[in-house]
Amino acid sequence: MSTVYNWQLGREMAYPFEEKHPRRQFAFVFNINRCIGCQTCTMACKSTWTFSKGQEHMWWNNVETKPYGGYPQHWDAKLLGMLEAANPGGQSWNAATADDDAKPYGAFDGKTIFEAAPNHVGPDGPQVALGYLPTDAEWRSPNIHEDVAAGEQWKEGRFGGSAQLPEHRVWFFYLARICNHCTYPACLAACPRQAIYKRPEDGIVLIDQERCRGYRKCVEGCPYKKVMYRGTTRTSEKCVGCYPRVEGKDESISPGGEPCETRCMSACVGKIRLQGLVAVDDDGRWTREPSNPLYYLIRDRKVALPLYPQFGTEPNGFYIPPRWAPRGYLTQMFGPGVDHALEQYVCPDRELLAVLQLFRTQRQILYRFAIEQGPKVAEIPVVLPSGRERVQEIFNDTVVGYNKFDKEVVRITIEEPTFERPKALHVNSI
Amino acid sequence: MEMETQGGTGRFAPKVHPLSRSATPDDPMDLNAAAVPGDPDVLINALVQEYAWMGWDGDEIAALFHDPFYPMLHGLLEALGETGVRDRINAVFNRDGVFRFRTTVHEAPDDHDHEPEPEVVQIGAFNLKRKEQDHVDGL
């Protein structure tokens, strides 16, 4: 085992391979507050990558309903239980040590899946990363009963038939998930044939189908269960980060070689998604780029948080937490940065409000943004989650997004104008 | 051994819809869950604010709750009732004053004089008759 630095945990940790980092890293932010669970992203991915024989159970992108949902079922509850069993009472954070650079969320005092693995001896000996192999039944029925946990009996001809679950007063949220293209991937670490690799140009994690022999150690090791086994080819497959689009090599949408967001991101109707590439230093820290929208949201403002950072893989998917879910549940899921993130999101200042407008305004990846200041248009009293009151000032600023070649590709104002097309004057008026 | 049936006429178990059966907590394949405490008022306030920030008005937001394919809001309608939902929407609008303003841009008419004539494309069936000698499976 080597020692590597995990900035999300605020400390060094054990990992089977030496620390090495890509020049840029595929990363994304999902705003859970806006997700309506329409599954358009799910179908965009399915119809692009996993429509063939043997891939019927594969949903590289899925949207599950928390707290009951999971694909495969109970994936996070199971692994959290295994970690707790491996380190009873010790899976805690020390948020008091937080600093802006090396420890944005403080330090994690518990065990990661790599640190807990050596003591977990299964039939095949110790694991490289603590994990389990989901059963076929757990893969089989994504979304079953997730939204209808009220314990209601099935009624003919009516939506909402459910299993008999205890009723919790209504709160849930939709958690959209794809592969996190982790900095320290557990799938890569667990592969006995080193068939999985992380690309140096964009950090996308891929499986070499020539080398893969279908041992399913990656399926067992990935804590997010985003590697899936395909029976027809006897290999494992996973989200490829739509790499032809990210490379700008899909000629139909990138005639000039402009990197584009993935299919699932581009298809999002709720405008919850923003994807991009962040620059990474040799030591694994993100290069300071305050005008990169992802760097700004994740590192500068800390409004978007990693999913289960305590697993230790340093995932590169980040979420703006839902502000209605119980705080303890959110802290378990996103770490101790939840309070700060929600205070930021509920009452955004003019800069943050402008950057939040960039979600799903452009298919091309935005490398930089700039804000043109406009007049103040409103003042709104806001009660923060902490109970403090603040007045939110709203300015009609304009945010401008630039692509890889520093060409302006989007321009949007806070106050979005409505265009009215006079009926008689346009040939395609309805 | 013959199995009991509802009609008592055959060897087959009665066909029962799986969702009509009672839950059996000791069945490892049955869904089990723990009740998680939460407050529906926090959920509805947050969601109404999200849509209000996007410029939706009260009627537009209320309509969302009636869509069974948006189960989060539909569940709230079932839990709180029509009046409960309306009251809460109005409360959010009254309290926050609602961030909603609109600029309308009247577009210039299309310039028909300089538009090129659209090309007429004839769509028709190709000649699908295949010569027998050219195809091994030619019929």
Side-chain angles (χ1 to χ4, degrees):
Chain A
M1 284 271 186
S2 301
T3 300
V4 298
Y5 191 77
N6 184 325
W7 64 262
Q8 295 176 3
L9 300 183
R11 66 172 172 86
E12 292 183 327
M13 66 165 202
Y15 186 68
F17 293 102
E18 277 182 25
E19 186 163 355
K20 212 166 188 183
H21 297 283
R23 294 184 291 280
R24 281 193 172 269
Q25 174 62 53
F26 175 102
F28 56 87
V29 171
F30 291 172
N31 181 359
I32 297 177
N33 295 279
R34 288 277 162 94
C35 183
I36 58 174
C38 67
Q39 306 283 1
T40 308
C41 49
T42 307
M43 293 314 299
C45 175
K46 186 75 178 166
S47 59
T48 307
W49 296 108
T50 60
F51 53 81
S52 300
K53 199 172 180 182
Q55 296 180 308
E56 292 85 353
H57 66 298
M58 284 188 193
W59 301 91
W60 290 354
N61 178 107
N62 78 292
V63 184
E64 58 202 41
T65 308
K66 291 296 176 191
Y68 288 152
Y71 168 74
Q73 283 170 356
H74 322 303
W75 64 274
D76 49 351
K78 279 194 169 183
L79 193 58
L80 289 168
M82 291 174 77
L83 280 167
E84 183 61 31
N87 185 25
Q91 296 295 94
S92 59
W93 290 84
N94 181 2
T97 58
D99 68 49
D100 271 350
D101 187 26
K103 300 178 179 185
Y105 318 123
F108 179 60
D109 293 336
K111 285 188 175 177
T112 67
I113 56 170
F114 304 111
E115 292 160 348
N119 296 329
H120 182 83
V121 181
D124 301 334
Q127 294 178 324
V128 175
L130 187 71
Y132 73 98
L133 212 49
T135 63
D136 287 352
E138 287 170 337
W139 286 114
R140 194 174 295 145
S141 308
N143 299 122
I144 190 166
H145 304 315
E146 286 182 0
D147 284 355
V148 282
E152 196 173 41
Q153 283 285 348
W154 173 262
K155 291 175 194 158
E156 198 67 47
R158 190 184 173 286
F159 300 107
S162 83
Q164 290 180 327
L165 301 174
E167 180 178 9
H168 61 91
R169 299 294 303 282
V170 176
W171 72 266
F172 49 82
F173 61 87
Y174 300 111
L175 184 72
R177 300 200 302 121
I178 64 170
C179 169
N180 290 297
H181 297 280
C182 303
T183 303
Y184 304 113
C187 58
L188 185 154
C191 179
R193 286 181 54 80
Q194 299 189 5
I196 303 181
Y197 60 102
K198 191 167 174 65
R199 307 205 314 174
E201 62 269 38
D202 52 22
I204 288 177
V205 177
L206 296 176
I207 299 175
D208 182 341
Q209 294 292 304
E210 292 289 321
R211 284 197 63 78
C212 179
R213 291 289 180 273
Y215 297 141
R216 282 179 268 190
K217 290 290 177 188
C218 50
V219 183
E220 182 183 73
C222 172
Y224 302 97
K225 296 295 168 239
K226 277 297 172 192
V227 189
M228 295 145 205
Y229 178 69
R230 181 172 178 179
T232 50
T233 57
R234 298 185 185 178
T235 56
S236 294
E237 296 181 0
K238 64 177 288 300
C239 159
V240 294
C242 289
Y243 65 83
R245 295 169 69 101
V246 173
E247 290 171 357
K249 289 184 179 162
D250 186 334
E251 287 177 8
S252 60
I253 58 170
S254 305
E258 309 89 352
C260 281
E261 295 192 353
T262 65
R263 285 279 290 133
C264 57
M265 312 284 170
S266 301
C268 179
V269 294
K271 296 190 172 188
I272 79 154
R273 295 179 173 223
L274 185 70
Q275 181 230 313
L277 296 163
V278 293
V280 180
D281 289 339
D282 289 341
D283 63 0
R285 298 187 193 186
W286 288 13
T287 309
R288 188 166 159 68
E289 293 180 299
S291 62
N292 179 314
L294 287 168
Y295 184 94
Y296 178 79
L297 292 168
I298 297 161
R299 296 307 311 269
D300 218 0
R301 303 303 297 269
K302 303 189 193 75
V303 70
L305 303 168
L307 179 65
Y308 291 118
Q310 65 268 41
F311 291 167
T313 60
E314 206 181 286
N316 290 300
F318 298 83
Y319 294 81
I320 302 178
R323 53 208 174 101
W324 56 81
R327 204 53 63 88
Y329 188 86
L330 293 179
T331 305
Q332 175 180 259
M333 183 170 271
F334 301 111
V338 169
D339 290 335
H340 175 80
L342 288 179
E343 294 270 312
Q344 299 275 304
Y345 179 70
V346 169
C347 185
D349 60 26
R350 68 188 299 180
E351 196 177 26
L352 180 56
L353 186 63
V355 176
L356 287 172
Q357 310 306 312
L358 288 172
F359 282 62
R360 284 270 32 77
T361 49
Q362 173 53 256
R363 187 166 57 189
Q364 292 182 31
I365 287 177
L366 302 178
Y367 281 67
R368 182 171 78 82
F369 71 86
I371 296 171
E372 295 172 1
Q373 295 196 335
K376 188 198 277 191
V377 289
E379 284 186 353
I380 300 173
V382 178
V383 181
L384 298 175
S386 62
R388 284 190 298 128
E389 291 185 10
R390 204 193 296 174
V391 174
Q392 183 184 6
E393 297 178 309
I394 296 179
F395 298 84
N396 193 23
D397 294 337
T398 302
V399 60
V400 187
Y402 300 87
N403 69 5
K404 181 182 180 182
F405 307 116
D406 214 32
K407 181 184 166 199
E408 178 183 321
V409 288
V410 61
R411 171 176 287 268
I412 186 165
T413 50
I414 302 291
E415 178 191 12
E416 207 171 346
T418 304
F419 287 87
E420 260 184 26
R421 312 190 76 194
K423 190 179 172 187
L425 298 176
H426 294 278
V427 285
N428 61 348
S429 293
I430 298 167
Chain B
M1 193 179 77
E2 281 198 353
M3 295 176 79
E4 284 286 324
T5 66
Q6 273 177 331
T9 55
R11 293 173 292 122
F12 302 104
K15 200 167 186 179
V16 178
H17 194 288
L19 290 169
S20 308
R21 296 184 196 130
S22 300
T24 45
D26 57 337
D27 182 350
M29 300 309 291
D30 222 354
L31 289 170
N32 283 293
V36 188
D39 187 352
D41 272 329
V42 181
L43 172 61
I44 192 168
N45 283 341
L47 283 169
V48 171
Q49 270 183 352
E50 289 287 335
Y51 284 100
W53 283 347
M54 289 193 285
W56 291 46
D57 65 26
D59 289 337
E60 287 172 325
I61 295 172
L64 282 174
F65 288 78
H66 289 273
D67 185 349
F69 290 108
Y70 191 173
M72 183 147 66
L73 294 192
H74 196 61
L76 281 166
L77 180 67
E78 295 204 335
L80 304 171
E82 179 77 39
T83 318
V85 167
R86 268 290 179 180
D87 289 348
R88 285 165 176 83
I89 291 173
N90 292 336
V92 171
F93 275 55
N94 291 336
R95 188 185 64 234
D96 294 350
V98 181
F99 168 44
R100 179 179 170 78
F101 48 91
R102 177 167 283 173
T103 306
T104 306
V105 178
H106 295 281
E107 267 193 0
D110 292 340
D111 187 1
H112 295 299
D113 295 340
H114 295 92
E115 269 183 13
E117 279 292 311
E119 189 183 347
V120 178
V121 179
Q122 182 66 47
I123 301 171
F126 295 101
N127 185 1
L128 295 175
K129 199 173 176 185
R130 301 200 291 186
K131 288 178 184 172
E132 194 173 329
Q133 64 270 25
D134 292 345
H135 297 276
V136 287
D137 62 343
L139 299 173

